Amino acid sequence: MGPYEYLLRSVEEFESLEDIADVVIKEDRVGNHVRVRDVATLIDTYEEPTTISRFNGKPSVSLDVYKKPEGNTLELTEQFRALLQEKQRAAPAGVVFGITNDFSPRILSGIDRLLSNGFYGGFFVLLILFLILGWRNALFVLWGIPITFLLTFVFIDLYGESINESSLFALVLVLGMIVDDAIVVIENISRYLNRGCGPKEAAIKGTEEVIWPVFTSSLTTIAAFLPLMLLPGVIGEFMKVIPVCLSFALAASLFESLVILPSHVSDLGASDVARHHGRVNRTIRKAASRYRRIMGFIIRRRWAFIPLFLILLCSTLLVIPYVGVDLYADDAFPFFLVRIWMPEGTSIDETDAVTRGIEEVALTLPEADVKAVVSQVGRLDTESDRISAKDVSMIRVDVRASGVRTRSIDEIMGELEKGTKHVTGYREIQFAKLNTGPPVGKPVEIKIKGRHFEVLEEIAQRFKNYLATIPGVHTIQDDLQRGKNEIRIHVDENRAHLVSLDESDIAQQVKYAFEGVPATVYRDGDEEIDVVVKFQEDFRDSIQDINDLKIPTRGGGLVPFHTVASFTIERGW
């Protein structure tokens, strides 16, 4: 236009519900138009929820926070706590931030366990070596422990691993091994010092003489653990860090005992083992003299003491059933789960009602044992999968630390299971502790493969019935995910064609009426909100409403659904 260019743009957009209500859907020449408000009700609401979350019985928003492989759990936890404190100060009244399912205390517990074992191990190493080799030699060996761990941490970081429960377990396991090489080396160096050699000469000769035996000893120990790296599957990935950390620790111990330890002896000297042995031997001789007198007394009356020792041995065996036997004690995570499966196709409101019944009982558990109760409807975590559906739910009960609570997790879980016997309506319920080891399958697994679900289900049921007859077999489950009940529409093509309808026309109208369809959008600020058109709830809350549905024809008429189609209810897969 003239010397300028202009953009032509229409700005007619819906800005409120009133704008939508005024839309003309049928015109009249005299102005009596039919508008949206004349035939429909407009409601500004939220879309139907797919999940519901509660924290201690109150509505909540749950966020799962996962760290990257290179992240530090302890640092991230502290930063996250600081962030929540900042947000809490700025939050409106009634909004509370909280942390559940925090795994950092387990890592701190593992570090404390390592430090505790290191302290006691170092104390006994110092004590025994002091008695045998003198205080200075004992300190040389003791200094090797932190040096070895420092080098091990460097190797672990270069390898790309982190400090976690598995690596801490490996370090606790190797704690008693890393001083072996140093003891052999320092003892041989002391032998040369006793022969009159100087500290430097004794360090060189003593180390050279045992370098190959010490090196071979470390390699044989590493070779015994390295096959764990060859384990296949998930268990192999879980166990791999143990031989890796153990090998790094032994390699660091070998370097410390053959390089660092001799240099300490060369610079600072070693204990006078001969003079020290003179003092120790006098003490040992006194103890040995008393020991000989006691043993002589017992041997002379051995026929009286042998039955006594046998009785003591048998009495210890009788105590075992009361103590219990658990070769691999389960250090359970400080929470347990209640998994709930409802019948297929159950609405989220019905699933929530059943979940609330169990949740209310969980909230009555003593505060001395239970820290928090988190309910999530529409989500279910299993050992191997995460399910998102309206007919499943999960309750996580966080318990207090083992040293704080008065009962075990099994006892708390048993009380909740007993207290929820009156709750019905679910298809299956499971009370379970989280497995602390690698993710593994059930003790007995049977895999059935095929192309037809109906046949597979029948075969699986036969196996389940047979397994139920075997004594000791319990919790028999299958992982077949059954679909919801489906309403399947069958169109009578001959009748439909008489009124100019086909299968797609009928299916589309049923979908529009019951599920709805986004007709347009309107803007609220920078947010686009869908305008969904569907029947009112009163006209779509029963199966009969499908038969009563009127299908518009291409000629402008309306045909009852039941005159051109029928439906059946079947289960999907």
Side-chain angles (χ1 to χ4, degrees), residues 66-85:
Y66 300 95
K67 76 175 185 68
K68 294 181 179 179
E70 65 273 12
N72 185 306
T73 301
L74 300 180
E75 291 181 357
L76 290 174
T77 302
E78 290 301 319
Q79 294 175 8
F80 196 69
R81 289 183 184 278
L83 176 63
L84 289 187
Q85 291 177 359

Side-chain angles (χ1 to χ4, degrees), residues 152-421:
T152 303
F153 291 148
V154 173
F155 293 154
I156 291 175
D157 182 65
L158 293 176
Y159 182 76
E161 274 293 341
S162 62
I163 301 299
N164 50 52
E165 290 189 69
S166 298
S167 58
L168 288 174
F169 170 77
L171 295 178
V172 172
L173 181 67
V174 79
L175 183 60
M177 306 178 190
I178 60 177
V179 297
D180 294 346
D181 297 341
I183 291 174
V184 173
V185 172
I186 195 68
E187 195 277 335
N188 204 48
I189 292 175
S190 299
R191 188 167 62 87
Y192 277 97
L193 289 172
N194 293 337
R195 292 180 179 181
C197 296
K200 184 175 182 180
E201 182 183 3
I204 294 174
K205 289 184 177 181
T207 304
E208 286 180 343
E209 195 170 56
V210 297
I211 186 171
W212 286 113
V214 169
F215 184 74
T216 305
S217 174
S218 297
L219 285 184
T220 55
T221 305
I222 292 174
F225 285 94
L226 279 182
L228 289 175
M229 297 182 63
L230 304 179
L231 290 175
V234 178
I235 296 181
E237 290 295 323
F238 185 85
M239 297 291 290
K240 181 175 67 175
V241 67
I242 295 177
V244 167
C245 293
L246 190 143
S247 301
F248 286 155
L250 290 176
S253 171
L254 188 66
F255 176 80
E256 193 279 332
S257 61
L258 297 180
V259 178
I260 299 176
L261 176 62
S263 66
H264 287 164
V265 176
S266 176
D267 293 337
L268 303 176
S271 301
D272 187 345
V273 178
R275 187 173 64 181
H276 177 76
H277 279 179
R279 294 192 299 267
V280 174
N281 287 341
R282 288 192 294 270
T283 304
I284 293 178
R285 281 195 294 270
K286 293 179 180 179
S289 176
R290 294 191 182 94
Y291 177 75
R292 281 194 297 269
R293 289 197 298 271
I294 295 173
M295 290 304 299
F297 177 81
I298 294 175
I299 291 174
R300 287 191 299 271
R301 297 165 178 80
R302 55 185 176 274
W303 300 114
F305 279 94
I306 288 176
L308 179 60
F309 288 142
L310 291 176
I311 292 173
L312 290 175
L313 177 61
C314 293
S315 64
T316 58
L317 296 177
L318 293 175
V319 175
I320 291 178
Y322 298 97
V323 177
V325 178
D326 190 357
L327 296 180
Y328 300 98
D330 182 22
D331 183 18
F333 288 108
F335 65 87
F336 65 88
L337 300 175
V338 182
R339 301 186 177 112
I340 304 167
W341 290 266
M342 300 291 290
E344 290 84 0
T346 302
S347 67
I348 193 169
D349 293 330
E350 182 62 25
T351 304
D352 184 46
V354 174
T355 305
R356 278 183 179 274
I358 301 173
E359 177 188 20
E360 289 172 358
V361 179
L363 291 172
T364 63
L365 294 173
E367 293 186 5
D369 297 327
V370 175
K371 184 165 52 176
V373 177
V374 181
S375 301
Q376 292 181 307
V377 182
R379 167 184 165 179
L380 177 63
D381 293 339
T382 65
E383 287 83 356
S384 59
D385 196 12
R386 170 171 291 180
I387 303 172
S388 296
K390 295 181 179 181
D391 52 17
V392 298
S393 65
M394 176 178 65
I395 299 175
R396 188 180 71 245
V397 180
D398 292 338
V399 301
R400 301 192 183 277
S402 57
V404 178
R405 64 176 184 265
T406 59
R407 295 179 295 174
S408 67
I409 293 180
D410 288 323
E411 291 173 332
I412 301 171
M413 191 165 60
E415 180 183 343
L416 178 59
E417 184 174 3
K418 183 179 179 181
T420 54
K421 293 293 186 182

Side-chain angles (χ1 to χ4, degrees), residues 549-567:
L549 178 66
K550 301 297 190 296
I551 307 294
T553 65
R554 295 171 185 173
L558 295 174
V559 177
F561 172 87
H562 61 83
T563 63
V564 293
S566 61
F567 65 86

Side-chain angles (χ1 to χ4, degrees), residues 34-214:
V34 179
R35 302 179 183 273
V36 170
R37 67 161 61 92
D38 300 324
V39 296
T41 302
L42 278 72
I43 303 175
D44 185 2
T45 184
Y46 297 99
E47 64 179 348
E48 294 182 359
T50 57
T51 60
I52 299 173
S53 177
R54 284 187 297 275
F55 178 77
N56 287 337
K58 298 179 180 179
S60 67
V61 176
S62 298
L63 299 178
D64 292 339
V65 181
Y66 300 95
K67 76 175 185 68
K68 294 181 179 179
E70 65 273 12
N72 185 306
T73 301
L74 300 180
E75 291 181 357
L76 290 174
T77 302
E78 290 301 319
Q79 294 175 8
F80 196 69
R81 289 183 184 278
L83 176 63
L84 289 187
Q85 291 177 359
E86 178 183 345
K87 296 297 183 181
Q88 184 66 72
R89 289 192 292 268
V95 176
V96 179
F97 293 90
I99 296 179
T100 63
N101 202 16
D102 183 6
F103 282 81
S104 61
R106 290 185 59 85
I107 299 177
L108 291 173
S109 176
I111 295 175
D112 291 340
R113 193 180 303 119
L114 176 63
L115 295 176
S116 175
N117 289 349
F119 171 78
Y120 288 111
F123 172 76
F124 286 113
V125 166
L126 181 65
L127 177 63
I128 294 173
L129 292 180
F130 167 73
L131 294 176
I132 305 301
L133 300 177
W135 68 270
R136 184 171 295 182
N137 292 344
L139 287 177
F140 285 152
V141 175
L142 190 63
W143 287 344
I145 297 177
I147 294 174
T148 299
F149 276 141
L150 178 62
L151 292 174
T152 303
F153 291 148
V154 173
F155 293 154
I156 291 175
D157 182 65
L158 293 176
Y159 182 76
E161 274 293 341
S162 62
I163 301 299
N164 50 52
E165 290 189 69
S166 298
S167 58
L168 288 174
F169 170 77
L171 295 178
V172 172
L173 181 67
V174 79
L175 183 60
M177 306 178 190
I178 60 177
V179 297
D180 294 346
D181 297 341
I183 291 174
V184 173
V185 172
I186 195 68
E187 195 277 335
N188 204 48
I189 292 175
S190 299
R191 188 167 62 87
Y192 277 97
L193 289 172
N194 293 337
R195 292 180 179 181
C197 296
K200 184 175 182 180
E201 182 183 3
I204 294 174
K205 289 184 177 181
T207 304
E208 286 180 343
E209 195 170 56
V210 297
I211 186 171
W212 286 113
V214 169

